[in-house]
Amino acid sequence: MTASARAATIRDGVDVLATQAEEFTSGLAGPPWLTKLRRDGMASLVKTGFPSQRDEEWRYTNLLPLARTVFGLAPRDVTIAERTQAVELEARLGTLGLSSPGPRLVFVNGHLVRRTAHTLPAEILFENLGTVLRLAPERVEKVLIAAPAGHPFVALNDAFLDTGALVRVGKGLTAPDPLVVVHLSTSASGTPAPLMSHLRNLVVLEEDAAATVVEVFLGTDELSFTNAVTQAVLGENARLTHIKVQLEGRQAYHVGNLFLSHARGARSTSHVYSFGGATVRNEISATLSGEGSGTEMYGLFAAAAGQSVDCHTVIDHAAPRADSLELYKGILDGNGRGAFDGKVIVREGAVKTDARQTNRNLILSDEALVDSKPQLEIHNNDVRCTHGSTTGRIDSDALFYLRSRGLSEGAARALLTYAFGSEVVSKVAAPDVKALLEDRLHAWLPAAAASVNG
């Protein structure tokens, strides 16, 4: 099929993926459990198909263009052209770019092209998951087969499971620097179809371990599809900071899932920042199954004309004395679309739960639209839970004040928009990542201000 080939129906699109997955799996060696995992994943997607907007959980995400587009996998041999594009893209990351000395894995269209881990202690594993699957798959078997079932894109990820990052930090150890995983989407010469990547990242922190993991997604402006799944397993009293930065091109489809599981006393902090892509859906599911565990979730999405960004979170309080804090913000411009769908579940035995959830959205144009759906599902009375959502335009009093101080209307609107988003960016502790995000937020502002002034 050609780059513009489209399946006649969504069902045809699933059938094409099934054929591709069968060819992919048949060319791979591996233990029976891994082959079964891949084939079960595709069988699950074939059975259920892609969800539609008639499904409540997917009502804000239009998958029709994605499901009807035929994508291909990039050849294993990364070409010089791909490497050149990758260098150009990575250079755009500023302080987090090519000159950054810290540990890093760089993938191009799902294939590892660079690994830098010389600053890490030998007891901290930071490796290509594909290498581990080929040489020592038993090291990741338990985590992989424990992945949540029933999600169509996780099932699809299972079907093409072969690449991604593996992080394992041993008991009592702390990774001295952020572990950076860069996923780059480029065009590949000789491939007739736009490219898709199915990335699986595993993070395992043993008891009293700690790490910061940064995932960056960046791409050209060509059509592409990224389907990323990250599983993080936190042992007792482990500490994880996970930061996701999504900066792909304006024709990119991106579906990402992050699963966090917490043992007793474990804590996680999740950051999601989305500035790129045409259709983007980020899902986070955190299970607080250990007493005294906790999670904090921060998210900022900016959608301009032609972009749709959906954020879905589930925090499951399944044990006593756990706490959660969630702050998500959206900035919508042009005819951009956004959605926040967040649910906090408090189980019957999860007494002394403390949960706070906040969503705020800023609308910059008459055509922009955002849906907000904060939810609390509480099954016992011994809790302290709050949630709230606001959506509005730039405050007129603040705008008047800044204009009275000599700022133009465009500059005043840009400053207030930046201040709105920077509250979330300020939660990032890693200096290089914070600097990158501040730069990206600044870069997004002129279009917003121009649109408002138009």
Side-chain angles (χ1 to χ4, degrees):
M1 295 186 181
T2 67
S4 59
R6 300 180 72 85
T9 66
I10 292 178
R11 189 69 244 174
D12 290 340
V14 173
D15 291 342
V16 170
L17 283 169
T19 301
Q20 292 174 316
E22 181 60 33
E23 293 173 354
F24 175 78
T25 303
S26 64
L28 294 175
W33 67 263
L34 183 55
T35 301
K36 182 177 185 302
L37 181 68
R38 289 169 174 147
R39 289 189 165 148
D40 285 352
M42 199 63 240
S44 175
L45 182 62
V46 169
K47 181 178 179 180
T48 62
F50 283 113
S52 75
Q53 289 181 283
R54 290 191 293 272
D55 298 299
E56 179 62 24
E57 296 298 319
W58 295 84
R59 59 182 298 189
Y60 306 122
T61 310
N62 180 12
L63 293 174
L64 187 60
L66 167 65
R68 292 189 59 198
T69 302
V70 176
F71 294 91
L73 295 170
R76 287 190 177 275
D77 293 331
V78 180
T79 66
I80 294 177
E82 286 177 278
R83 291 178 185 274
T84 301
Q85 283 185 318
V87 170
E88 293 172 350
L89 288 170
E90 204 175 346
R92 299 179 188 175
L93 295 177
T95 54
L96 203 64
L98 294 166
S99 60
S100 178
R104 159 176 315 221
L105 297 175
V106 180
F107 295 85
V108 176
N109 300 322
H111 301 305
L112 183 71
V113 295
R114 192 168 82 253
R115 174 179 178 272
T116 307
H118 61 274
T119 60
L120 292 174
E123 299 82 4
I124 296 178
L125 182 62
F126 185 47
E127 187 54 86
N128 178 15
L129 177 63
T131 302
V132 177
L133 289 175
R134 281 183 280 281
L135 300 179
E138 68 280 0
R139 298 190 68 173
V140 295
E141 177 182 359
K142 289 184 179 179
V143 179
L144 284 175
I145 63 177
H151 191 293
F153 285 89
V154 177
L156 182 62
N157 190 280
D158 282 347
F160 289 96
L161 198 158
D162 188 47
T163 189
L166 172 63
V167 175
R168 181 180 285 274
V169 182
K171 180 178 178 180
L173 296 174
T174 297
D177 299 301
L179 308 172
V180 179
V181 184
V182 180
H183 299 287
L184 302 170
S185 299
T186 73
S187 57
S189 57
T191 54
L195 297 179
M196 61 179 176
S197 300
H198 303 277
L199 308 157
R200 178 66 66 90
N201 304 306
L202 296 181
V203 180
V204 180
L205 303 186
E206 299 181 4
E207 181 180 345
D208 293 317
T212 294
V213 177
V214 182
E215 291 188 61
V216 181
F217 296 85
L218 192 63
T220 64
D221 284 329
E222 296 179 62
L223 186 62
S224 65
F225 168 38
T226 298
N227 177 26
V229 175
T230 297
Q231 294 172 252
V233 181
L234 279 61
E236 285 194 6
N237 300 312
R239 299 287 187 271
L240 171 67
T241 297
H242 180 270
I243 306 172
K244 176 176 180 177
V245 184
Q246 193 269 326
L247 303 171
E248 288 156 307
R250 296 295 290 270
Q251 292 194 72
Y253 296 99
H254 180 104
V255 179
N257 277 275
L258 169 63
F259 298 97
L260 299 161
S261 68
H262 302 71
R264 178 188 294 268
R267 302 196 67 83
S268 68
T269 303
S270 162
H271 301 261
V272 178
Y273 301 91
S274 185
F275 292 96
T279 299
V280 177
R281 181 180 172 104
N282 288 306
E283 296 188 37
I284 303 176
S285 178
T287 304
L288 302 173
S289 52
E291 184 170 353
S293 57
T295 187
E296 295 179 26
M297 293 185 181
Y298 301 102
L300 174 66
F301 60 92
Q307 290 183 281
S308 175
V309 184
D310 293 358
C311 305
H312 298 252
T313 64
V314 176
I315 302 174
D316 190 347
H317 286 259
R321 282 170 278 280
D323 62 89
S324 65
L325 171 65
E326 186 172 15
L327 172 62
Y328 263 71
K329 286 190 171 186
I331 307 174
L332 290 303
D333 190 18
N335 64 354
R337 297 288 183 269
F340 170 78
D341 185 352
K343 178 185 287 187
V344 176
I345 304 170
V346 182
R347 303 289 176 183
E348 187 174 0
V351 296
K352 308 297 183 186
T353 287
D354 186 348
R356 288 168 286 168
Q357 181 191 64
T358 303
N359 171 229
R360 299 191 186 111
N361 303 297
L362 181 62
I363 301 292
L364 299 178
S365 76
D366 293 336
E367 294 78 24
L369 180 66
V370 66
D371 293 285
S372 181
K373 189 180 174 185
Q375 306 167 75
L376 293 177
E377 183 179 311
I378 302 173
H379 298 278
N380 79 71
N381 295 323
D382 190 7
V383 302
R384 184 173 64 179
C385 298
T386 62
H387 70 159
S389 173
T390 60
T391 296
R393 296 177 179 269
I394 288 176
D395 182 75
S396 58
D397 290 340
L399 185 63
F400 176 80
Y401 173 78
L402 290 177
R403 295 205 66 188
S404 71
R405 310 300 289 183
L407 271 67
S408 68
E409 181 171 342
R413 288 181 181 276
L415 182 60
L416 292 170
T417 303
Y418 180 82
F420 178 84
S422 65
E423 180 190 3
V424 188
V425 173
S426 69
K427 304 296 182 183
V428 175
D432 288 350
V433 182
K434 187 175 180 180
L436 170 66
L437 292 169
E438 289 173 341
D439 180 65
R440 288 294 168 159
L441 184 55
H442 269 297
W444 196 86
L445 290 176
S451 175
V452 171
N453 287 329

